[in-house]
Amino acid sequence: MLFMHEVHKVKGANEDEFEAAYRDGWMPTLAETDDARLLWYTNHAHGSGVSYNVVTVTVLRDARAWEQLVRRIYDGDLQDWMRQVDELRHEVTGKLQQPLVWSPLQDVDLASVPVDGAVHPPALYMEDTMWPYDGMLLDYIDACGTVYSKSLEREDPFITIEAASQPAFGSQLRGEVTLMQRINKVDQLAQLLANEMPPEHRGPGTWMLDALAVRDQWESKLLRTSTWSPWS
């Protein structure tokens, strides 16, 4: 399976209209075939990033499904929808991703993904994007899977990796890894933001220090799902 990750710079005055276009247009229209589904519709949590930034993740059954979606957008039933949505945003940046070999999310039962827009409490995610040193992409992927992800396998964890991915070959910058991590304890997030990392969490033998051997550049985004997002 492939995942289409998009960052939308929405026009502030059209924020609600843009969201409605995805809820009432993109989500149900994709559900008319067995090729794709919208998984996440998220906003940057207030005070954590650029204004009116929306991040969406759409799952595609395979490369053929991606091709079919492109055709629907270019000269099919989604052409008018895309034209209207482009009027509601300044720009959009997308990348086609594939799951890492150890990602918890490998396959999606498309038929089970909600498409009715049912309302539910929002969830908070930390999306981390890392850029390993040149020539060390595979080393980082291995270390992240065998060390970092294993360190989160505990009872009642603060954060849980829901998906781990990299750009599909030939579609984007190769040396990049993205983790979609659900925050289970918001109170601990507040402590993390308000305090310096304790020395015992960044000394020898810790992920914070040892991972510097393979990367030292990453970006974290706090994303809040909409109350109707298929996945929360």
Side-chain angles (χ1 to χ4, degrees):
M1 285 195 151
L2 297 172
F3 299 90
M4 186 170 64
H5 179 285
E6 296 180 284
V7 179
H8 315 263
K9 293 185 177 181
V10 180
K11 295 179 180 179
N14 300 116
E15 178 184 22
D16 293 340
E17 191 178 354
F18 182 87
E19 182 168 343
Y22 266 78
R23 182 189 61 232
D24 304 331
W26 184 254
M27 180 173 64
T29 303
L30 291 185
E32 294 174 2
T33 75
D34 296 327
D35 288 339
R37 292 290 188 275
L38 174 68
L39 293 184
W40 281 292
Y41 184 100
T42 69
N43 292 278
H44 271 229
H46 292 299
S48 68
V50 182
S51 61
Y52 301 111
N53 255 31
V54 170
V55 175
T56 60
V57 178
T58 299
V59 61
L60 300 155
R61 183 179 299 281
D62 50 28
R64 181 181 178 280
W66 173 75
E67 179 185 9
Q68 293 299 318
L69 182 59
V70 169
R71 292 182 182 278
R72 294 176 71 183
I73 290 171
Y74 283 176
D75 56 12
D77 62 314
L78 283 168
Q79 185 184 59
D80 288 341
W81 180 89
M82 185 61 72
R83 182 181 292 112
Q84 295 168 8
V85 167
D86 281 341
E87 293 296 321
L88 306 176
R89 61 191 175 193
H90 296 290
E91 66 178 22
V92 58
T93 303
K95 52 190 173 186
L96 204 59
Q97 299 176 313
Q98 64 184 60
L100 300 185
V101 294
W102 57 263
S103 174
L105 184 61
Q106 294 291 333
D107 295 302
V108 177
D109 178 8
L110 299 185
S112 71
V113 178
V115 296
D116 58 357
V119 175
H120 53 72
L124 198 60
Y125 282 81
M126 181 178 292
E127 183 191 69
D128 285 345
T129 302
M130 283 69 62
W131 298 278
Y133 303 136
D134 289 344
M136 305 204 73
L137 173 63
L138 298 181
D139 298 274
Y140 176 77
I141 290 175
D142 180 64
C144 193
T146 58
V147 181
Y148 176 64
S149 69
K150 299 300 182 183
S151 71
L152 303 180
E153 294 179 355
R154 63 187 70 174
E155 186 176 348
D156 196 23
F158 156 63
I159 198 169
T160 303
I161 298 176
E162 298 287 335
S165 59
Q166 66 183 118
F169 181 73
S171 66
Q172 174 69 343
L173 175 70
R174 180 168 182 265
E176 182 179 280
V177 171
T178 300
L179 303 181
M180 190 70 163
Q181 305 164 108
R182 195 178 198 277
I183 296 174
N184 304 311
K185 299 180 179 180
V186 178
D187 56 337
Q188 288 191 20
L189 173 64
Q191 297 177 23
L192 177 65
L193 296 176
N195 298 280
E196 183 58 71
M197 185 73 68
E200 61 269 23
H201 291 166
R202 47 190 171 89
T206 66
W207 174 249
M208 288 299 295
L209 180 64
D210 294 351
L212 294 178
V214 286
R215 66 96 182 93
D216 66 359
Q217 297 294 300
W218 74 86
E219 177 184 70
S220 295
K221 296 180 180 179
L222 287 179
L223 304 176
R224 185 187 64 255
T225 63
S226 68
T227 57
W228 60 268
S229 176
W231 281 10
S232 62

